[in-house]
Amino acid sequence: PKSWEEEVFYSILVDRFANGDITNDNSNIPDFQREQLKSKKPWSVQRWRHGGDLHGVKSRLSYLRDLGVTVLALSPIFLNSAGEYHGSCTTDLTSIDSNFGNKELLRELVHDAHTLGLKVVLDVQVNHACGGGLKYLGANSGVDGVSNCVLSTGETYWGSERGTPLNEYGRGRLGF
């Protein structure tokens, strides 16, 4: 769009939004959830995957449009081998997590959303990537600059004591 200022965003945590396909609910769940299901002792149910998926989002597009939403902001939907419900621990940015659906379903969702006049934004959290060896490649490329920015921000953030104000250098590196 020419300007994002006029858009109405609706942020969707996919796993918690709507379960449109119960057949994929246990395809990529964390080990602790699998054990608790087996023992019938759901001690950490708040950390479990709850089954929300792209089918569920797709089934609610008309509802969202009728609310006045113009942009859907989806939580990370890419493969995370730990099976975390929030999707923040991405291990493969080229694959959709099977609990959420697949590439074809994502294409259908985006097509249907566009047909209804809705835009779709995917959340890609490069600072939460968990795959071994995941990094941006390319000497002196613009993408390599993103790696340096993420590393720099992480060093500044995690290198500070909790509750200790950042110095001027640290505030400048974080952009404030």
Side-chain angles (χ1 to χ4, degrees), residues 106-120:
L106 177 60
R107 281 188 201 98
E108 289 174 21
L109 186 152
V110 171
H111 177 268
D112 291 356
H114 288 174
T115 300
L116 293 171
L118 301 169
K119 298 166 190 68
V120 178

Side-chain angles (χ1 to χ4, degrees), residues 78-81 87-95 124-137 143-144 146-148 150-151:
F78 302 102
L79 179 63
N80 74 85
S81 59
S88 293
C89 191
T90 300
T91 52
D92 185 350
L93 290 165
T94 65
S95 299
V124 180
Q125 298 182 353
V126 295
N127 60 327
H128 288 193
C130 296
L134 273 181
K135 64 180 183 177
Y136 293 103
L137 302 175
V143 175
D144 198 43
V146 173
S147 275
N148 292 335
V150 170
L151 286 172

Side-chain angles (χ1 to χ4, degrees), residues 15-16 29-33 36 42-50 82-86:
D15 181 70
R16 300 299 202 255
I29 60 174
D31 291 338
F32 74 87
Q33 182 175 344
Q36 290 177 9
W43 299 115
S44 55
V45 72
Q46 76 282 1
R47 292 179 43 217
W48 283 21
R49 292 192 94 150
H50 289 242
E84 299 289 340
Y85 74 90
H86 46 69

Side-chain angles (χ1 to χ4, degrees), residues 96-113:
I96 305 297
D97 188 299
S98 58
N99 261 60
F100 297 134
N102 56 45
K103 292 177 185 179
E104 292 75 28
L105 182 57
L106 177 60
R107 281 188 201 98
E108 289 174 21
L109 186 152
V110 171
H111 177 268
D112 291 356

